[in-house]
Amino acid sequence: MRRLLAFLMLCGCAKPADPPQATREFVDARGKTVKVVYPPKRIVSIIPSTTELLFNVGAGEQVAGVTTYCDWPPEAKKKPKIGDIRVDFEMLAALKPDVVVTSWSTTKKASAEIEGKGYALFSVEPRSFEEIAASLRRLGALTGHEAEGERAAAALEARVKAVVASPGLTVYIEHSPAPLGTTGPDTYMGDAVRRAGGRNIFEGGWHDLIDWETVMARDPEVILIVHDRKSGYESRAGWSNLRAVKNKRVYFVAKEHYMYPTPRLADGLEEAARIFREKNP
Amino acid sequence: MKRIPSLVALAFLIPAAVGVVALSVVAGSSTLVDLPEDRRWDIIFQYRLPRGILAFLVGASLGASGVCFQGLFRNALADPFVVGVSSGAALGAVGAIVLGLQTTVLGLAPPTAAGFVGATVAAFLAYGVARVRGRVPVTTLLLAGSAIGSFAGAMVSILILMNSPNWSEVVTWLMGSISHPDPWSRVKVVVPCLIASATVMMVYARDLNVLLLGEESAQQLGVEVERLKIFLLGAGALAAAGAVATCGMIGFVGLIVPHVARRLVGPDHRALLPITVLAGGILLTLADIAARVVSPQFPLPIGAVTALGGAPFFVYILRRRSAKI
């Protein structure tokens, strides 16, 4: 209530006082102060997850440009493209963005290049559920949708809180079939599985390449396949003797529920919790 | 007198080959000690043994292909990749990965099947381009192969740029890797290729020796040179294709090993071929063991290991050859 009041007061004093082209200063997740036209009418997002977060806080209409990989929500696909993982600066210039929104996955060099060309670059750094919620609030504030940002963040927090973990089972998360890669607990994907109660058989971070032998040796109780390959597992060495296979606890889950640091990650968390609650048949 | 060193070498290399494969089963066994017995045997028989055998066979194939091409082209720097076979295989495999092909062909994974097709097309294309009035001058064949290789290499680069989601699979393939969840399936691909190609090479080993005197002399001595070239090109390409289509681009083995073997037993292909096959297998198995010992958690791409050791050796050969001239 107090937040809402504060927000109303803020709206009340800011709106009539600010001329149309007024700028406002925001501190982004890097700790950088970014001067942005407020409210920004033309936002370019250069990371799929930030595109999604912008739509989550109701700023979809202001999004003027996205990457070719931005496929969620479906409306994002209709937006003009500014490149793939690399920003095409000519297209960016043509869109005349008020602010460019990015995330931790953009390199320092790439960030410096964008800032060097005079664009306001606002970074959110969602690496955990807490930070996803924080990112929603930041983007809500940045885009003039403070209430919606707050609502989305609170909804996410409530979902995460409601999840009942069933701790104990060891789990192997297969992130990539070739080369064989897993995801450790130090990532948001690993965090979702950990919160649901899974004990990762690997340590570490993203997309670690591994040897199949290690999976055989650690013999997980649950296997989560988080990529699109659905067949060809039976011929793997020792497959039918793995505990997870014997107990029919190999799950092919939708990778979209785990791949993005956005509220969709809560789908993954809830799904993983359901999986860990199941009893061996 | 010449036979003795080759027999001694065989007597030494055959047990050494068995030894390194056994070593590859044991290497890194510290993690196995605490495991329940059935799981330990699973790892040994279903994973480590086939992996060791695979490394051996791939090294053997690359060695065989290298010695065949070095003899055919009479060029010390020829290797399994000279006639564009590897780039052709790369184009096929990377194409299959980038297009996300899923269906298996004759039980082969899509990159393997497409790699085979690419290698075969490249070899025949090189032969077709170089063929003038029923004759195929080896220099032209070499140049045609190199041109086709560059073309296919450029296509690979474009494919990589076009598609980033699968780039890590592409990179792993281009760097060459023995690590795979299902090593037996790859062994099954490499074995027939190696047996067929090595048999052809052994049958023509004497002719390869004569070819060293030059094509005209060989012709005068009763060797059907043009037919010989087709068989040797086919055999060398098949051996390389089996290795490359399954495990990717593993460099330098095919270049180095024939030179080492030549130093051991001399230039007679009847001895040189089996020694190269054995030495190639031993070398790659050792490289695989080294990769696993150096980095037990993260599978080091074996192509990087062989190139790391191979590049200095390549320079050494270059220096020695230029010193002689």
Side-chain angles (χ1 to χ4, degrees):
Chain A
M1 192 62 201
R2 198 182 295 166
R3 264 206 196 111
L4 192 70
L5 263 177
F7 169 66
L8 287 174
M9 279 161 66
L10 213 95
C11 285
C13 54
K15 256 197 181 147
D18 281 3
Q21 272 299 303
T23 60
R24 210 182 254 197
E25 284 186 343
F26 293 92
V27 179
D28 76 357
R30 297 172 295 173
K32 261 201 175 162
T33 305
V34 184
K35 213 177 194 183
V36 178
V37 174
Y38 185 85
K41 290 188 189 65
R42 309 181 59 73
I43 305 170
V44 164
S45 162
I46 60 171
I47 304 287
S49 60
T50 54
T51 304
E52 190 178 333
L53 290 168
L54 283 166
F55 275 88
N56 288 144
V57 301
E61 300 238 313
Q62 291 146 273
V63 173
V66 298
T67 73
T68 50
Y69 292 115
C70 295
D71 58 0
W72 197 262
E75 300 94 283
K77 283 198 248 182
K78 293 176 200 142
K79 299 284 184 181
K81 306 290 181 287
I82 52 89
D84 39 44
I85 41 175
R86 277 179 295 258
V87 173
D88 185 323
F89 281 101
E90 280 185 30
M91 296 192 204
L92 187 63
L95 289 172
K96 295 197 194 77
D98 295 329
V99 60
V100 177
V101 175
T102 182
S103 160
W104 48 266
S105 53
T106 302
T107 59
K108 280 207 173 105
K109 198 178 150 213
S111 302
E113 199 177 357
I114 294 166
E115 283 167 337
K117 297 198 191 268
Y119 297 107
L121 186 73
F122 186 86
S123 183
V124 292
E125 319 253 307
R127 284 190 173 90
S128 64
F129 282 104
E130 287 79 10
E131 286 170 356
I132 297 170
S135 301
L136 288 165
R137 293 197 173 96
R138 280 180 201 282
L139 289 177
L142 175 79
T143 58
H145 297 273
E146 217 149 7
E148 276 184 271
E150 175 54 37
R151 208 158 42 223
L156 175 67
E157 284 162 347
R159 281 180 76 185
V160 173
K161 224 176 144 188
V163 167
V164 181
S166 320
L169 293 181
T170 54
V171 56
Y172 161 55
I173 308 173
E174 186 165 300
H175 187 180
S176 147
L180 207 61
T182 190
T183 292
D186 305 342
T187 64
Y188 52 83
M189 188 194 276
D191 185 45
V193 172
R194 186 182 55 78
R195 280 179 202 247
R199 279 194 293 141
N200 204 317
I201 61 165
F202 286 98
E203 304 82 42
W206 272 120
H207 211 103
D208 281 340
L209 296 186
I210 50 161
D211 218 76
W212 177 246
E213 181 185 314
T214 321
V215 179
M216 292 176 79
R218 298 186 182 170
D219 200 13
E221 288 160 294
V222 172
I223 294 178
L224 291 183
I225 306 284
V226 195
H227 55 73
D228 290 332
R229 194 166 294 179
K230 304 288 181 228
S231 61
Y233 294 91
E234 301 74 23
S235 62
R236 285 188 181 178
W239 177 258
S240 55
N241 287 341
L242 290 175
R243 271 192 290 183
V245 178
K246 276 189 194 152
N247 295 329
K248 297 195 165 48
R249 303 214 58 174
V250 181
Y251 298 89
F252 296 87
V253 295
K255 66 171 194 269
E256 293 76 18
H257 294 172
Y258 299 86
M259 291 257 294
Y260 304 99
T262 65
R264 274 195 284 174
L265 189 62
D267 296 343
L269 170 61
E270 287 163 1
E271 180 180 43
R274 253 195 324 276
I275 285 171
F276 294 137
R277 262 201 306 280
E278 281 177 21
K279 294 274 174 285
N280 288 345
Chain B
M1 276 311 276
K2 257 192 174 175
R3 282 264 167 102
I4 295 165
S6 61
L7 281 180
V8 169
L10 276 178
F12 173 75
L13 286 178
I14 291 172
V18 177
V20 285
V21 173
L23 182 65
S24 111
V25 171
V26 181
S29 66
S30 54
T31 54
L32 291 184
V33 175
D34 315 324
L35 294 179
E37 200 159 316
D38 52 340
R39 218 186 296 170
R40 192 186 308 151
W41 292 122
D42 259 11
I43 290 179
I44 288 174
F45 285 115
Q46 298 202 37
Y47 189 78
R48 286 196 180 173
L49 182 63
R51 178 178 173 149
I53 292 173
L54 177 66
F56 187 86
L57 292 172
V58 168
S61 301
L62 293 170
S65 178
V67 77
C68 177
F69 284 152
Q70 285 179 6
L72 173 62
F73 294 117
R74 295 193 294 285
N75 187 328
L77 296 182
D79 74 354
F81 304 161
V82 278
V83 282
V85 170
S86 68
S87 307
L91 181 56
V94 171
I97 296 168
V98 166
L99 295 174
L101 298 184
Q102 297 282 341
T103 42
T104 55
V105 184
L106 303 170
L108 300 179
T112 308
F116 259 114
V117 174
T120 317
V121 169
F124 276 103
L125 209 59
Y127 183 80
V129 169
R131 193 181 161 96
V132 182
R133 273 182 250 117
R135 289 190 66 244
V136 181
V138 280
T139 323
T140 321
L141 186 56
L142 208 56
L143 291 172
S146 140
I148 288 162
S150 305
F151 182 80
M155 294 283 287
V156 167
S157 305
I158 291 168
L159 280 174
I160 295 173
L161 280 176
M162 262 170 55
N163 176 288
S164 357
N166 292 339
W167 70 268
S168 60
E169 185 173 0
V170 172
V171 169
T172 310
W173 199 88
L174 289 178
M175 289 201 285
S177 165
I178 295 286
S179 173
H180 188 266
D182 181 13
W184 277 126
S185 70
R186 294 181 160 193
V187 170
K188 284 180 206 154
V189 176
V190 182
V191 165
C193 295
L194 178 60
I195 291 178
S197 55
T199 308
V200 172
M201 289 175 204
M202 277 312 285
V203 167
Y204 289 104
R206 202 187 289 262
D207 292 352
L208 255 176
N209 289 344
V210 181
L211 202 58
L212 288 181
L213 303 171
E215 278 183 40
E216 273 177 38
S217 314
Q219 194 86 48
Q220 281 156 12
L221 287 168
V223 175
E224 280 190 53
V225 173
E226 291 309 318
R227 203 183 63 178
L228 177 67
K229 279 189 228 169
I230 296 181
F231 277 114
L232 290 179
L233 178 67
L238 181 65
V244 174
T246 47
C247 296
M249 311 266 264
I250 300 172
F252 288 104
V253 176
L255 175 73
I256 294 169
V257 173
H259 288 286
V260 175
R262 219 168 271 129
R263 203 129 300 170
L264 281 176
V265 295
D268 182 349
H269 282 89
R270 286 169 300 178
L272 188 57
L273 268 160
I275 298 295
T276 309
V277 165
L278 285 171
I282 291 170
L283 184 77
L284 200 66
T285 316
L286 283 177
D288 185 42
I289 294 170
R292 273 151 60 190
V293 169
V294 168
S295 155
Q297 294 298 328
F298 178 85
L300 224 51
I302 196 158
V305 178
T306 58
L308 217 57
F313 193 83
F314 186 78
V315 172
Y316 165 75
I317 291 174
L318 279 176
R319 291 289 305 167
R320 268 187 69 101
R321 284 187 61 80
S322 50
K324 264 189 203 162
I325 296 161

